[in-house]
Amino acid sequence: MSDGGAGETSRRSFFAQMMAGIGLLLSYGLFGGYAVAYLFPARVRRTARLLFIGRRVDFAAGSTRTFVDAKGRTLLLRPSGDSIEAFDTRCPHLGCKVHWEPDKDRFFCPCHHGVFNRDGVATAGPPFDAKQSLTREPLDVDSAGNVFLKVEA
């Protein structure tokens, strides 16, 4: 038995200090783990998925169809030979809506008279001066004739 002298630590205070030290070490370790996860985040793999648009036979030659994708963008779908092309309807110049003019075989932006050919390449107006083109979206037609839009999930 100890007489409780000035330099001695009781068993109770020793265990209290030990538990406080262990708690402090664990909290520093947790903080360090969160700091490393913040500084070096895990890479997110983007996967592509297919969004059903329609059947190939539903697209008549020379016609266009609009489609709103999962991101809320409006796309202009236009048959071209055996395939179908999809173009974002936003003009790359200022974001106005372009439309297809079948009689002139072109896309037209009414905001600044931007003109795009059937492939979406600018031929006149501010988009031509800036060497801009319409954004083309990838489509996939399977063997059964189903048309799908490739979107990143």
Side-chain angles (χ1 to χ4, degrees):
M1 223 176 187
S2 72
D3 56 349
E8 292 186 27
T9 306
S10 72
R11 184 180 291 177
R12 180 175 287 172
S13 65
F14 171 74
F15 282 119
Q17 288 176 357
M18 188 174 70
M19 294 306 286
I22 290 172
L24 187 64
L25 286 175
L26 288 175
S27 64
Y28 281 151
L30 186 63
F31 173 75
Y34 281 129
V36 168
Y38 177 76
L39 294 173
F40 304 102
R43 292 186 184 207
V44 177
R45 290 186 178 188
R46 294 185 177 242
T47 57
R49 64 177 201 187
L50 299 177
L51 185 63
F52 179 73
I53 292 179
R55 304 222 357 105
R56 173 66 181 99
V57 295
D58 297 335
F59 294 90
S63 68
T64 59
R65 180 193 276 180
T66 59
F67 181 79
V68 180
D69 72 355
K71 295 179 182 176
R73 296 176 304 166
T74 304
L75 303 176
L76 253 172
L77 306 170
R78 187 179 62 76
S80 175
D82 291 338
S83 66
I84 298 175
E85 296 175 329
F87 296 96
D88 192 340
T89 59
R90 290 177 305 195
C91 178
H93 179 239
L94 287 178
C96 298
K97 294 278 185 181
V98 299
H99 61 271
W100 175 251
E101 294 180 336
D103 55 330
K104 297 180 182 175
D105 197 36
R106 69 179 189 177
F107 293 99
F108 182 72
C109 177
C111 292
H112 296 101
H113 301 284
V115 179
F116 302 88
N117 66 12
R118 65 179 20 252
D119 296 323
V121 178
T123 58
F128 176 73
D129 298 336
K131 296 179 177 50
Q132 297 171 320
S133 298
L134 293 177
T135 303
R136 193 178 268 210
E137 297 298 324
L139 292 180
D140 186 28
V141 181
D142 67 5
S143 60
N146 297 315
V147 181
F148 297 96
L149 173 67
K150 293 179 183 177
V151 293
E152 286 187 11

